[in-house]
Amino acid sequence: MKIINPATEDVLADVELADLAETDRVVERARKAFAAWREVSPGDRARLLRRFADLVDRHGDELAGLELANAGHPIGNARWEAGNVRDVLHFYAGAPERNHGKQIPVPGGVDITFAEPLGVVGVIVPWNFPMAIMMWGAAPALAAGNTVIVKPAEWTPMTALRLAELALEAGLPEGVLQVLPGAGEVAGARLVEHPGVNKIVFTGSTEVGKLILARAAEHVKRVTLELGGKSANVVFADADLEQAAATAPSAVFDNSGQDCCARSRVLVERPVYEEFLDRLRTAVGALTVGDPLDPGTDMGPLISAEHRDRVASFVTGTPHYQGTCPSGKGFWFPPTVLTHDSLDDRAFTEEIFGPVVSVVPFDDEAAAIQIANNTKYGLSGSIWTRDVGRALRVARAVEAGNLSVNSHSSVRYWTPFGGFKQSGLGRELGPDALAAFTETKNVFIAH
Ligand code: NAD
């Protein structure tokens, strides 16, 4: 597969995609490695993960450069992502030595629980945040004593391949963390069906997630699913409007809108709707779209020509406002603001996964909640208000896994991340992430 730089359309690399036989060999290696890896003492497992984190830190600029070239991420974002990989590894390096069971009072003996590793974990990754999403699955899985096979997205294998080399250099034994570039329908599907793979962590589209859930059911295989979103940014009239409007663009246009948490539906209380739109236009007009290598760039290209065509198909008629972007080579699309006569518009209901935001007015708190929840998705969202009671009421009423008040934070490795409804199943990250990579075993010992 030819790997393309989306900002220049240059060929970066030629990567061989695994066939079924190669996928089976990788699973076999992971199974062999599991027997030894689960026996590595918790302290040694922690030390190896810390060494891996330190190596990622030392190679941060290199990894950021690879992500910039392969996924078109602006340099500032790519550096942050490399730092996030390091931090996630450090965070879960603390986990093996704290992976306690319980001692439960029972009559006639002693009862204890163990958190046993599952075995081989397949982590299937999308192209939007290749190295970060890989590590959100891989780090806690490894910490819990599993071996891991990462299947990167076809378009973006570069950082995953480099991270696998760094893992070996850090001293992780062969077969403990493997990267398997391959087609979703071939290598990905095989991991889901292979009886030697005990769990699948899948991040990607809801459509493919449903397929994986159905196929995993045949083996009662464990799954964590992180899927699509169409999140709401709810702005009440009493909010700090200046701040709400100034931050709304980054909440949806970060990574060119190719973000599952993008707040792509902005709901604004009617009395401040026009003022908000004015301020938003100014903020969007100030965005710099262009060369990812320039530190002043806010937004890079989309991942591919095919994806750009899909994004463009949502913008019919004249948008309310459209920023600028380079012409010529590269898969560019300008930041775009839409308003709607009907909330049934396809652009308002479907995940676009590009730099397109919809802004609509609402009349009261109940209406805001109703519009926010009128979607099959439930991943994230934001609430802007100075009324603490309302902030809490709305946060509790919105059906989404990750909400922020007067900010747009969502994926933080200290806290659990995942979706309600068709945005996913299970949670990643946070203090309890190892629970998704272990089985609870209960042992009773008679007196
Ligand atoms: P995708 O579903 O097309 O692909 C994701 C991964 O699944 C790729 O590695 C692909 O090769 C693989 N795959 C495809 N078909 C498969 C199959 N039949 N069996 C096994 N694996 C298969 O998604 P994408 O286009 O790469 O990513 C965009 C989507 O990901 C968006 O919907 C976005 O919202 C979602 N996403 C969700 C989160 C989250 O945490 N909730 C994070 C990032 C992206």
Side-chain angles (χ1 to χ4, degrees), residues 209-273:
K210 286 179 186 175
L211 202 76
I212 287 178
L213 187 59
R215 290 195 182 152
E218 308 237 336
H219 304 270
V220 197
K221 190 168 290 190
R222 278 77 183 122
V223 289
T224 297
L225 302 176
E226 297 289 359
L227 310 175
K230 189 75 182 176
S231 298
N233 176 6
V234 185
V235 181
F236 286 95
D238 71 345
D240 178 341
L241 213 59
E242 192 182 337
Q243 185 73 3
T247 58
S250 65
V252 55
F253 298 149
D254 190 53
N255 204 25
S256 309
Q258 302 166 123
D259 182 343
C260 52
C261 290
R263 274 71 163 171
S264 51
R265 296 182 300 151
V266 186
L267 321 183
V268 185
E269 201 165 5
R270 202 175 296 273
V272 295
Y273 177 67

Side-chain angles (χ1 to χ4, degrees), residues 314-322 336-341 345 357:
F314 285 94
V315 183
T316 50
T318 312
H320 176 78
Y321 180 79
Q322 202 156 36
T336 302
V337 180
L338 303 179
T339 52
H340 298 273
D341 293 328
D345 284 358
V357 66

Side-chain angles (χ1 to χ4, degrees), residues 251-373:
V252 55
F253 298 149
D254 190 53
N255 204 25
S256 309
Q258 302 166 123
D259 182 343
C260 52
C261 290
R263 274 71 163 171
S264 51
R265 296 182 300 151
V266 186
L267 321 183
V268 185
E269 201 165 5
R270 202 175 296 273
V272 295
Y273 177 67
E274 292 299 337
E275 184 187 345
F276 181 88
L277 270 176
D278 283 348
R279 288 178 182 273
L280 183 68
R281 272 195 303 273
T282 308
V284 174
L287 290 177
T288 309
V289 183
D291 183 3
L293 265 171
D294 183 339
T297 292
D298 298 301
M299 219 178 90
L302 293 173
I303 191 69
S304 66
E306 183 190 334
H307 186 56
R308 182 182 52 190
D309 290 347
R310 190 182 164 272
V311 169
S313 77
F314 285 94
V315 183
T316 50
T318 312
H320 176 78
Y321 180 79
Q322 202 156 36
T324 55
C325 69
S327 49
K329 285 205 160 188
F331 311 125
W332 305 99
F333 198 84
T336 302
V337 180
L338 303 179
T339 52
H340 298 273
D341 293 328
S342 162
L343 299 189
D344 294 330
D345 284 358
R346 190 173 149 248
F348 191 73
T349 59
E350 292 183 26
E351 183 182 46
I352 299 176
F353 223 56
V356 181
V357 66
S358 294
V359 189
V360 300
F362 68 83
D363 288 312
D364 58 22
E365 189 177 312
I369 292 166
Q370 191 274 329
I371 300 170
N373 287 341

Side-chain angles (χ1 to χ4, degrees), residues 206 225-229 376-379 418-425:
T206 294
L225 302 176
E226 297 289 359
L227 310 175
K376 67 179 180 184
Y377 297 114
L379 192 53
F420 278 32
K421 302 196 279 189
Q422 293 191 26
S423 283
L425 193 67

Side-chain angles (χ1 to χ4, degrees), residues 11-264:
V11 176
L12 265 186
D14 223 324
V15 169
E16 198 172 329
L17 299 185
D19 58 11
L20 292 179
E22 174 59 9
T23 306
D24 289 354
R25 280 192 291 275
V26 165
V27 174
E28 200 45 48
R29 273 201 291 277
R31 288 230 68 83
K32 280 210 183 96
F34 173 59
W37 180 241
R38 67 175 304 172
E39 298 304 331
V40 172
S41 74
D44 286 341
R45 222 183 295 143
R47 247 185 303 281
L48 285 167
L49 290 176
R50 267 184 220 114
R51 282 224 295 259
F52 186 12
D54 288 342
L55 265 184
V56 169
D57 188 48
R58 244 177 286 151
H59 291 266
D61 281 347
E62 180 198 347
L63 287 163
L66 277 177
E67 208 75 303
L68 181 151
N70 191 177
H73 294 191
I75 185 65
N77 295 36
R79 286 203 180 110
W80 182 90
E81 287 151 28
N84 181 258
V85 169
R86 171 204 58 214
D87 293 346
V88 167
L89 277 165
H90 270 305
F91 187 70
Y92 289 108
E97 293 167 296
R98 294 171 177 80
N99 200 15
H100 314 128
K102 282 183 176 160
Q103 180 267 311
I104 301 170
V106 290
V110 174
D111 194 281
I112 46 179
T113 66
F114 296 91
E116 304 285 14
L118 300 173
V120 175
V121 174
V123 181
I124 302 178
V125 181
W127 46 260
N128 60 334
F129 292 106
M131 65 174 147
I133 290 178
M134 159 181 172
M135 210 47 86
W136 300 346
L142 292 169
N146 303 282
T147 54
V148 171
I149 301 168
V150 173
K151 209 297 285 170
E154 290 86 331
W155 288 328
T156 53
M158 302 307 289
T159 42
L161 288 165
R162 187 67 186 118
L163 283 165
E165 290 171 1
L166 294 177
L168 282 178
E169 203 180 317
L172 269 79
E174 290 269 354
V176 167
L177 174 62
Q178 300 179 85
V179 170
L180 176 76
E185 296 77 10
V186 182
R190 183 69 183 149
L191 291 178
V192 177
E193 279 160 9
H194 200 299
V197 176
N198 303 83
K199 160 136 194 175
I200 294 290
V201 179
F202 170 80
T203 305
S205 59
T206 294
E207 188 189 348
V208 176
K210 286 179 186 175
L211 202 76
I212 287 178
L213 187 59
R215 290 195 182 152
E218 308 237 336
H219 304 270
V220 197
K221 190 168 290 190
R222 278 77 183 122
V223 289
T224 297
L225 302 176
E226 297 289 359
L227 310 175
K230 189 75 182 176
S231 298
N233 176 6
V234 185
V235 181
F236 286 95
D238 71 345
D240 178 341
L241 213 59
E242 192 182 337
Q243 185 73 3
T247 58
S250 65
V252 55
F253 298 149
D254 190 53
N255 204 25
S256 309
Q258 302 166 123
D259 182 343
C260 52
C261 290
R263 274 71 163 171
S264 51

